[in-house]
Amino acid sequence: MTLYSCCLVFLLFTWNTAAYGPNQRAQKKGDIILGGLFPIHFGVAAKDQDLKSRPESVECIRYNFRGFRWLQAMIFAIEEINSSPTLLPNMTLGYRIFDTCNTVSKALEATLSFVAQNKIDSLNLDEFCNCSEHIPSTIAVVGATGSGISTAVANLLGLFYIPQVSYASSSRLLSNKNQFKSFLRTIPNDEHQATAMADIIEYFRWNWVGTIAADDDYGRPGIEKFREEAEERDICIDFSELISQYSDEEEIQQVVEVIQNSTARVIVVFSSGPDLEPLIKEIVRRNITGKIWLASEAWASSSLIAMPEFFRVIGSTIGFALKAGQIPGFREFLQKVHPKKSTNNGFAKEFWEETFNCYLPDGSKNSPASTSFHKGHEEGLGVGNGTSAFRLPCTGDENITSVETPYMDYTHLRISYNVYLAVYSIAHALQDIYTCTPGKGLFTNGSCADIKKVEAWQVLKHLRHLNFTNNMGEQVDFDEFGDLVGNYSIINWHLSPEDGSVVFEEVGHYNVYAKKGERLFINENKILWSGFSKEVPFSNCSRDCLPGTRKGIIEGEPTCCFECVDCPDGEYSDETDASACDKCPEDYWSNENHTSCIPKQIEFLSWTEPFGIALTLFAVLGIFLTSFVLGVFTRFRNTPIVKATNRELSYLLLFSLLCCFSSSLFFIGEPQNWTCRLRQPAFGISFVLCISCILVKTNRVLLVFEAKIPTSLHRKWWGLNLQFLLVFLCTFVQIVICVIWLYTAPPSSYRNHELEDEIIFITCHEGSLMALGFLIGYTCLLAAICFFFAFKSRKLPENFNEAKFITFSMLIFFIVWISFIPAYASTYGKFVSAVEVIAILAASFGLLACIFFNKVYIILFKPSRNTIEEVRCSTAAHAFKVAARATLRRSNVSRKRSNSLGGSTGSTPSSSISSKSNHEDPFPLPASAERQRQQQRGCKQKVSFGSGTVTLSLSFEEPQKNAMANRNTKRRNSLEAQNSDDSLMWHRALLPLQ
């Protein structure tokens, strides 16, 4: 059974070897063999396998010059290691390198040869088989290129724990160590690249893109990661398509239609060059321009795509490239390649033929007849440049430097350096095994592996713990996922002015080690859009929303498609494309354009505004008029009019009016805590003092005139001290109300933001509306009582009869304050203070005008009426009216009694009272005294009652104040009338009041 298994595996190996003849591999013997997988061709020829005969291996087509350079990098590194005295001394590395033809099937075919050889060695068939051409096991494999190919290879190699170090497979799926146990790589995984792509789109403020991905393990995971990053940045994807180099024409046409109809100008492509090439050719054919291509590193510098004839379509490409490395001596090594000298490299012959478009006569594979199938369809750099079906023979003396091919493009060694680094990684792992000290090894009990019998899994163990410094001084160590973290260069495609070729201009870099937000650097001055423009293209679903607006969602559309909505009042946006408007701080409001916040307008009843100035002028006018009246009353304080109005109370009343007018000024200006606490008490106390004076004054006159006979008790009750006491008591009640108010709920300044959004009203918060109601209510109560007494006193003598004026002033007072209540409740802001000021001024002017203006007019303009005779005449007239009424009442009562006793009836006689006052002086008077008598006045009045008329006549003589008056011992007033004794008594009683 063992022999049978041996033969089966040997046959498998023999069949595999037969499929790969000497010209299809690069092979060199050594103590330790490294495997290599490189895409020497871009693909395989399409061939219909109808299975009518034994299937043949498919033929690889379209030569890849860059792939051959990568192969050369591996050979160069191995030869450099072999010649190194310090790295693996006395050990020789060999290699077995195969062409994957950029397909999974060819890669697996090559991988089977590695696995089969290792399996034969594990069976120890030397004692059964005499194998003179024995080749050692492959302890590690360098490759492959595409992530899809590496995924297939890694699944196979992982079964046998053969380490695989890829130089170009960047799919993030390969970081899964549960599935790909033996996979490592010297290229960063696509997770960082996808993030970098999203950062670039965000940097240029694009949000509307399309995506295209290769339908393999490289494209699908890469574009999936990009979608995740785009979603976090609010980048919307208009379309997402999958492509392949094996897609039929109809599928390509559909993808091109989508691209052509899309409004997205930026297209993100995760693909390799061969997979993208058919799509680009169709786009070029349709001449679809104006697109910006964001390229992943797999095709950003691909010679299949970066061709001058494609530039008008893809000239705006921005791509990612791996960080370039330096390989000393590699340029000279590349120039030494020659079919006759490179005996270990079976690919050199085809390379020579493709480079110089000739054929080497040795062998039938590359004869003109055999090459006519595929070479007549090849074009462009990197693919083989033969254009004729038949080639001339090669001389062998051709100069490799005379032809420009991607093979000799060693200016930016990126993938080539990754190959170089992969070989050195394996070599340093072997060096660790070679220098391992027993007891300090990585294996059981610190044991070490035997370098002469080293196995693949032992090399894998040391690769996972690898740490060395490369030739550029950088530390190399694989992380737990078998990845190397590296940085990216950002390139922009330019058209060379010298030869018209496509050159890759480095315009920035992406540092994965930096903090988030600081990783991307782009020099925009170096970027050329469409090959010539400096203006950044626009790729957004909607136009930018200017500051002052925000993005509004359109139903049924992606979030990137929006409408610009103006920020509401009180909110602002100071940036373009704001997703939401920010609220202004409490004391600020948005400006007219909603681009910033400005301080809110502060409003209060200001001294400087027209309304405030007008109210202030009226208040000052009231103060001036009140002061003027007070001055007049003080100047004419001994005149009968002033005396008759209760001079002392009038002074106090005028003082209270001054306080009323002055209190209105506390309502103007910016409210402060002290003004808020002072203004209402000042207003309330001033008005109560005013109303109290009027009340006491009116009540006193009413009591005097209604009392029949003035007694000493009346005189005491009507005394001046008691009047002031009553005023004080009425005012004290208001003071108590104000003190309780200020103690329990003191008013304070208040910044009101709620009435109008853009205005801050500085007002006084009254603390307690109930207290304010008590204050005004008490004032109105006193005013009502005053109105009652004034109305009752309306028929007193004219000189005493301020009542009708007081009544009118109280009516004004009530009208003002009754109107004040709804006005106060319906206004807000500064108008609340204005309404109260107007009410105070109106009420104060009403009291001042009604009570004092008539008297001031008489004093200043009618001095003839400001005499004692005028006052006495009015007083006496009232006294006789009262007496006449009493006489008539008594006469009527007597008449009724006599009629009832005598039974007789008669007509009511007319009553007449005639009064004369004749002052008879027995002594002759001087001329001056005579003139004084001529100035004496007399008055006559008729008093009519329904059934009778009383006519009275009075004359008075003013007593002399000079020396002549001393001679007059007595001044009499004579009154002749019927039943007038009471009137004479009233006359004498009122004289002191005058």
Side-chain angles (χ1 to χ4, degrees):
M1 184 64 184
T2 303
L3 182 60
Y4 174 77
S5 299
C6 170
C7 294
L8 181 61
V9 173
F10 182 76
L11 288 174
L12 177 62
F13 175 74
T14 304
W15 174 81
N16 191 280
T17 303
Y20 279 80
N23 292 331
Q24 292 181 309
R25 73 176 66 183
Q27 179 172 302
K28 183 179 179 180
K29 294 182 179 180
D31 299 323
I32 298 175
I33 301 297
L34 304 182
L37 298 173
F38 294 92
I40 308 302
H41 295 85
F42 281 113
V44 295
K47 189 175 182 181
D48 185 17
Q49 300 286 356
D50 56 6
L51 301 180
K52 292 182 179 180
S53 59
R54 180 185 295 274
E56 296 180 0
S57 179
V58 291
E59 184 178 12
C60 297
I61 58 173
R62 305 170 66 209
Y63 195 80
N64 183 3
F65 286 99
R66 295 178 70 208
F68 184 70
R69 189 181 70 213
W70 301 339
L71 179 147
Q72 288 287 80
M74 180 176 178
I75 295 175
F76 174 79
I78 290 175
E79 291 184 0
E80 193 175 61
I81 293 169
N82 287 338
S83 60
S84 172
T86 57
L87 191 59
L88 296 177
N90 303 320
M91 297 292 294
T92 302
L93 295 180
Y95 53 83
R96 295 175 65 219
I97 302 173
F98 295 97
D99 180 13
T100 63
C101 297
N102 203 38
T103 61
V104 173
S105 58
K106 285 293 184 181
L108 288 177
E109 191 176 351
T111 305
L112 282 174
S113 68
F114 303 141
V115 174
Q117 181 61 47
N118 286 19
K119 193 62 179 177
I120 291 174
D121 287 349
S122 66
L123 294 176
N124 289 323
L125 299 180
D126 291 343
E127 56 181 299
F128 300 102
C129 304
N130 184 14
C131 301
S132 59
E133 295 291 332
H134 176 66
I135 299 176
S137 300
T138 302
I139 54 94
V141 176
V142 176
T145 307
S147 296
I149 297 173
S150 288
T151 300
V153 172
N155 280 318
L156 184 56
L157 294 178
L159 294 175
F160 304 97
Y161 292 93
I162 300 174
Q164 174 189 356
V165 183
S166 176
Y167 49 85
S169 299
S170 56
S171 172
R172 63 191 184 112
L173 296 181
L174 292 167
S175 297
N176 186 351
K177 294 298 103 180
N178 292 326
Q179 184 176 359
F180 308 105
K181 303 178 180 63
S182 62
F183 181 83
L184 304 96
R185 52 186 163 191
T186 57
I187 184 175
N189 73 45
D190 289 332
E191 187 164 351
H192 297 295
Q193 187 176 187
T195 303
M197 284 181 166
D199 286 344
I200 286 181
I201 293 173
E202 186 178 33
Y203 176 86
F204 288 111
R205 304 184 66 84
W206 297 324
N207 65 12
W208 190 238
V209 301
T211 62
I212 296 175
D215 191 11
D216 56 22
D217 289 338
Y218 169 72
R220 288 191 301 268
I223 212 67
E224 181 183 349
K225 176 62 177 177
F226 170 78
R227 286 197 197 97
E228 295 174 2
E229 296 292 333
E231 186 176 354
E232 292 181 4
R233 294 164 173 79
D234 292 329
I235 299 170
C236 298
I237 298 175
D238 184 27
F239 63 87
S240 186
E241 300 292 335
L242 296 175
I243 58 173
S244 172
Q245 62 177 318
Y246 303 111
S247 299
D248 56 36
E249 186 176 351
E250 184 179 353
E251 293 175 339
I252 296 296
Q253 294 283 353
Q254 290 177 353
V255 176
V256 174
E257 287 287 344
V258 171
I259 295 173
Q260 190 170 16
N261 296 328
S262 173
T263 57
R265 294 190 63 187
V266 175
I267 302 175
V268 179
V269 182
F270 254 97
S271 174
S272 63
D275 288 325
L276 184 62
E277 184 187 19
L279 179 66
I280 295 298
K281 284 183 176 179
E282 180 61 25
I283 292 175
V284 171
R285 189 186 69 81
R286 295 195 184 192
N287 195 27
I288 302 174
T289 59
K291 301 295 183 182
I292 299 102
W293 300 85
L294 195 55
S296 64
E297 51 79 27
W299 73 275
S301 56
S302 172
S303 58
L304 284 175
I305 311 300
M307 301 176 69
E309 53 266 35
F310 295 166
F311 190 79
R312 72 178 188 276
V313 169
I314 56 173
S316 297
T317 298
I318 292 180
F320 290 87
L322 302 174
K323 185 178 179 181
Q326 298 177 358
I327 307 177
F330 186 52
R331 176 181 180 183
E332 292 75 14
F333 179 79
L334 292 177
Q335 294 175 353
K336 291 178 181 179
V337 65
H338 195 279
K340 294 181 180 179
K341 297 177 182 178
S342 305
T343 55
N344 295 321
N345 191 346
F347 301 103
K349 182 180 179 181
E350 186 177 2
F351 163 76
W352 197 266
E353 291 176 337
E354 295 295 335
T355 301
F356 299 106
N357 195 21
C358 61
Y359 75 95
L360 293 172
D362 186 19
S364 60
K365 181 179 185 299
N366 296 91
S367 64
S370 64
T371 59
S372 62
F373 172 76
H374 60 276
K375 296 187 178 185
H377 297 85
E378 295 169 356
E379 59 181 0
L381 297 176
V383 189
N385 53 7
T387 57
S388 126
F390 299 94
R391 296 177 176 179
L392 297 175
C394 300
T395 63
D397 297 327
E398 290 83 3
N399 185 3
I400 193 70
T401 59
S402 63
V403 181
E404 291 186 4
T405 63
Y407 172 77
M408 292 300 296
D409 183 12
Y410 46 80
T411 54
H412 298 288
L413 299 176
R414 294 184 173 93
I415 300 298
S416 298
Y417 184 77
N418 284 353
V419 174
Y420 180 81
L421 189 61
V423 174
Y424 265 87
S425 297
I426 297 171
H428 277 279
L430 293 171
Q431 177 71 12
D432 290 342
I433 295 174
Y434 182 80
T435 58
C436 178
T437 302
K440 296 183 180 180
L442 301 177
F443 304 104
T444 307
N445 299 325
S447 60
C448 298
D450 186 357
I451 189 63
K452 295 182 179 179
K453 296 182 180 180
V454 65
E455 297 185 32
W457 64 271
Q458 294 172 327
V459 178
L460 177 61
K461 178 68 173 178
H462 278 271
L463 279 172
R464 289 178 177 177
H465 294 81
L466 184 65
N467 192 334
F468 74 98
T469 304
N470 61 15
N471 66 325
M472 296 179 64
E474 298 173 344
Q475 203 70 19
V476 178
D477 59 325
F478 296 101
D479 62 17
E480 57 181 327
F481 304 108
D483 300 334
L484 287 183
V485 180
N487 299 324
Y488 292 98
S489 297
I490 300 173
I491 59 175
N492 180 222
W493 289 13
H494 291 187
L495 203 60
S496 174
E498 299 175 358
D499 56 5
S501 63
V502 178
V503 295
F504 310 119
E505 180 71 21
E506 186 169 335
V507 295
H509 61 264
Y510 187 83
N511 184 4
V512 299
Y513 297 102
K515 296 179 180 178
K516 189 174 182 180
E518 301 177 0
R519 297 173 181 174
L520 180 66
F521 169 78
I522 293 180
N523 186 352
E524 291 189 51
N525 295 326
K526 291 185 175 182
I527 298 179
L528 292 178
W529 304 102
S530 300
F532 60 88
S533 176
K534 288 285 187 179
E535 183 180 356
V536 178
F538 180 82
S539 184
N540 296 62
C541 183
S542 302
R543 285 288 173 182
D544 294 343
C545 289
L546 299 177
T549 62
R550 64 171 178 84
K551 295 187 290 186
I553 297 174
I554 301 176
E555 188 174 355
E557 295 290 337
T559 56
C560 299
C561 300
F562 51 81
E563 58 182 354
C564 296
V565 181
D566 291 335
C567 290
D569 292 338
E571 297 183 9
Y572 75 100
S573 66
D574 56 359
E575 59 183 11
T576 303
D577 276 348
S579 57
C581 297
D582 298 321
K583 285 190 175 181
C584 291
E586 187 179 19
D587 291 343
Y588 288 81
W589 193 251
S590 56
N591 60 2
E592 184 178 357
N593 297 325
H594 300 279
T595 56
S596 62
C597 290
I598 57 177
K600 286 184 178 180
Q601 180 181 349
I602 304 295
E603 279 209 3
F604 52 86
L605 190 59
S606 172
W607 298 100
T608 57
E609 65 175 292
F611 198 25
I613 293 174
L615 293 176
T616 303
L617 290 176
F618 276 108
V620 172
L621 177 63
I623 294 172
F624 172 76
L625 291 177
T626 306
S627 301
F628 176 75
V629 172
L630 182 60
V632 169
F633 268 54
T634 304
R635 171 69 179 81
F636 297 95
R637 59 186 176 276
N638 293 320
T639 61
I641 288 291
V642 175
K643 289 182 177 180
T645 57
N646 200 334
R647 180 174 52 196
E648 289 75 11
L649 277 181
S650 295
Y651 291 159
L652 186 58
L653 176 58
L654 288 169
F655 171 76
S656 66
L657 285 174
L658 281 174
C659 294
C660 289
F661 284 114
S662 301
S663 68
S664 65
L665 298 177
F666 289 114
F667 292 83
I668 305 174
E670 182 176 353
Q672 305 290 338
N673 285 335
W674 69 272
T675 58
C676 290
R677 292 168 186 171
L678 182 61
R679 65 182 192 172
Q680 297 291 7
F683 143 70
I685 294 172
S686 300
F687 264 94
V688 165
L689 179 61
C690 177
I691 301 299
S692 299
C693 291
I694 299 172
L695 176 62
V696 171
K697 191 176 178 183
T698 307
N699 188 41
R700 172 181 172 272
V701 174
L702 181 65
L703 289 175
V704 168
F705 277 98
E706 287 189 349
K708 292 184 177 180
I709 299 178
T711 63
S712 60
L713 180 62
H714 285 102
R715 294 177 181 273
K716 183 178 180 181
W717 181 256
W718 299 328
L720 190 61
N721 292 334
L722 186 58
Q723 295 175 43
F724 282 113
L725 178 61
L726 291 175
V727 171
F728 171 75
L729 291 176
C730 292
T731 308
F732 181 74
V733 174
Q734 186 78 303
I735 294 173
V736 171
I737 293 174
C738 293
V739 170
I740 295 174
W741 182 8
L742 294 177
Y743 180 78
T744 57
S748 60
S749 177
Y750 171 64
R751 299 171 72 90
N752 195 328
H753 299 265
E754 300 174 356
L755 297 177
E756 291 190 20
D757 295 328
E758 68 276 14
I759 299 175
I760 298 176
F761 290 99
I762 303 182
T763 59
C764 286
H765 187 271
E766 302 300 350
S768 172
L769 290 178
M770 182 180 294
L772 179 62
F774 275 119
L775 183 142
I776 297 177
Y778 178 67
T779 305
C780 292
L781 175 63
L782 291 181
I785 298 173
C786 184
F787 175 79
F788 170 77
F789 285 122
F791 181 79
K792 196 171 182 181
S793 305
R794 67 189 182 281
K795 294 183 179 181
L796 292 180
E798 184 178 352
N799 291 55
F800 290 92
N801 193 11
E802 296 176 300
K804 62 181 179 181
F805 299 109
I806 294 174
T807 303
F808 189 65
S809 67
M810 290 299 104
L811 285 175
I812 295 175
F813 185 87
F814 281 122
I815 292 172
V816 168
W817 289 107
I818 290 174
S819 302
F820 165 77
I821 294 173
Y824 185 88
S826 60
T827 54
Y828 60 89
K830 65 181 181 181
F831 300 106
V832 174
S833 298
V835 166
E836 194 159 356
V837 171
I838 292 173
I840 292 172
L841 293 178
S844 301
F845 274 114
L847 293 173
L848 178 66
C850 292
I851 297 176
F852 292 102
F853 281 5
N854 182 54
K855 296 176 178 57
V856 172
Y857 174 77
I858 293 174
I859 292 171
L860 296 179
F861 302 105
K862 297 289 183 180
S864 60
R865 295 178 59 184
N866 189 15
T867 61
I868 190 65
E869 291 86 355
E870 186 76 18
V871 175
R872 286 174 176 175
C873 180
S874 298
T875 306
H878 180 75
F880 281 112
K881 289 178 184 178
V882 173
R885 290 191 187 98
T887 301
L888 290 175
R889 282 197 298 269
R890 285 196 295 268
S891 300
N892 291 334
V893 170
S894 299
R895 191 178 298 113
K896 288 179 180 180
R897 287 178 180 176
S898 62
N899 290 337
S900 60
L901 293 174
S904 62
T905 60
S907 60
T908 303
S910 173
S911 297
S912 176
I913 298 178
S914 216
S915 176
K916 290 183 183 178
S917 179
N918 297 321
H919 182 74
E920 297 179 1
D921 195 348
F923 303 101
L925 296 174
S928 59
E930 187 66 25
R931 286 193 302 269
Q932 187 173 1
R933 290 189 62 177
Q934 293 176 1
Q935 294 174 359
Q936 293 176 353
R937 301 183 56 192
C939 62
K940 291 183 179 182
Q941 295 196 17
K942 281 187 178 182
V943 182
S944 298
F945 305 96
S947 58
T949 301
V950 177
T951 302
L952 55 90
S953 175
L954 296 98
S955 82
F956 303 96
E957 187 176 90
E958 187 71 24
Q960 299 294 326
K961 295 182 181 180
N962 50 24
M964 189 179 296
N966 296 328
R967 291 180 297 168
N968 299 324
T969 59
K970 189 175 181 181
R971 182 69 59 92
R972 299 183 181 89
N973 288 321
S974 175
L975 181 64
E976 296 177 359
Q978 297 177 4
N979 299 322
S980 60
D981 295 339
D982 291 343
S983 298
L984 290 173
M985 295 178 69
W986 265 113
H987 179 65
R988 294 190 188 98
L990 288 169
L991 287 177
L993 300 178
Q994 298 170 11

